[in-house]
Amino acid sequence: MARWQIIFLALSSLLLSSCAYHKFASLPQASERSITSDNLKTLVPIDGRSVKYKTSIDILKNHLTGILVIKQTDTATKHLVFVTELGMRMFDFEIKGDSITPVFVFKALNKPKLIDALCRNFRSILLLEWYGNKAAVRTKNAQEGLYLRSGKRNLFLALNADKQASQLNVFNKRKKESKTVYTNDYSSVHLKQYGWIKLYIELEKVTE
């Protein structure tokens, strides 16, 4: 590809992401709210029950399908375990507070950038950065949304009438990092990561 075409595409991407950031940042602020499981429903049941999702992950040249299990192992710890249809464990991430730490990663996936992308995006999907923090409440056309600043990242979360997340847009400064869409009481979750490294995560809840 010609050098000028590469520059044009980069500038176009930056312009579009900046416009998207402005769309969310310009929403009027109504108040501030401390985020708890009472005003933002969690994906993981707070009673300690595990939840399972049929999962598809596309990152770099890897296409992974299987079952993702999220379970509480003690009062302060959860685990995020992904197993293929053949029963092979691909990764096990430990969740404490708002952090995710890899405990086990299958050798073929054990690459720093890949692990970082998975941990960062599952942290977004599970809304870990929100709980225990104060978020700005913003409204448009009677629909409520929340804004949270987390380091260099700007998070904009749309809510439905049942206090559930419906869409999460994350920006690194003003550059769009990811978009997550939640539907049907978190029974379906789709995340897309933007940028040079593309990542897609699709979760469909398994009901038993």
Side-chain angles (χ1 to χ4, degrees), residues 54-104:
K54 185 177 179 182
T55 302
S56 172
I57 301 174
D58 287 281
I59 182 169
L60 301 176
K61 296 181 180 180
N62 300 289
H63 174 69
L64 309 172
T65 58
I67 298 293
L68 184 76
V69 181
I70 311 168
K71 57 184 179 181
Q72 189 98 28
T73 53
D74 60 47
T75 55
T77 310
K78 301 179 183 71
H79 276 260
L80 189 73
V81 182
F82 180 62
V83 182
T84 68
E85 286 100 335
L86 299 176
M88 182 180 296
R89 186 173 56 144
M90 301 303 289
F91 59 76
D92 180 352
F93 295 157
E94 182 182 76
I95 303 170
K96 284 191 175 183
D98 65 353
S99 66
I100 295 184
T101 305
V103 174
F104 168 83

Side-chain angles (χ1 to χ4, degrees), residues 163-175:
K163 300 178 182 178
Q164 299 164 359
S166 59
Q167 187 176 123
L168 172 63
N169 288 275
V170 179
F171 295 83
N172 189 330
K173 295 183 179 179
R174 297 192 176 192
K175 185 177 180 181

Side-chain angles (χ1 to χ4, degrees), residues 67-175:
I67 298 293
L68 184 76
V69 181
I70 311 168
K71 57 184 179 181
Q72 189 98 28
T73 53
D74 60 47
T75 55
T77 310
K78 301 179 183 71
H79 276 260
L80 189 73
V81 182
F82 180 62
V83 182
T84 68
E85 286 100 335
L86 299 176
M88 182 180 296
R89 186 173 56 144
M90 301 303 289
F91 59 76
D92 180 352
F93 295 157
E94 182 182 76
I95 303 170
K96 284 191 175 183
D98 65 353
S99 66
I100 295 184
T101 305
V103 174
F104 168 83
V105 180
F106 185 66
K107 187 175 181 180
L109 298 178
N110 201 356
K111 300 173 183 177
K113 288 185 178 180
L114 189 151
I115 295 171
D116 178 68
L118 288 173
C119 288
R120 183 178 64 253
N121 285 286
F122 274 113
R123 191 169 176 239
S124 293
I125 286 174
L126 298 176
L127 307 169
L128 298 183
E129 292 162 286
W130 294 86
Y131 299 103
N133 288 310
K134 285 188 175 181
V137 180
R138 298 185 173 184
T139 58
K140 182 179 181 181
N141 300 328
Q143 184 178 9
E144 189 173 83
L146 301 172
Y147 165 70
L148 179 68
R149 180 72 181 266
S150 179
K152 295 180 180 180
R153 300 164 79 239
N154 296 286
L155 290 74
F156 298 92
L157 183 65
L159 304 176
N160 63 25
D162 296 318
K163 300 178 182 178
Q164 299 164 359
S166 59
Q167 187 176 123
L168 172 63
N169 288 275
V170 179
F171 295 83
N172 189 330
K173 295 183 179 179
R174 297 192 176 192
K175 185 177 180 181

Side-chain angles (χ1 to χ4, degrees), residues 161-205:
D162 296 318
K163 300 178 182 178
Q164 299 164 359
S166 59
Q167 187 176 123
L168 172 63
N169 288 275
V170 179
F171 295 83
N172 189 330
K173 295 183 179 179
R174 297 192 176 192
K175 185 177 180 181
K176 194 160 191 177
E177 180 179 294
S178 67
K179 175 181 176 181
T180 308
V181 177
Y182 307 84
T183 54
N184 300 324
D185 193 18
Y186 299 149
S187 63
S188 179
V189 183
H190 290 189
L191 175 141
K192 178 180 179 180
Q193 174 182 284
Y194 298 86
W196 294 111
I197 298 178
K198 300 294 189 291
L199 169 65
Y200 301 92
I201 300 175
E202 297 184 358
L203 308 177
E204 301 294 335
K205 186 178 286 186

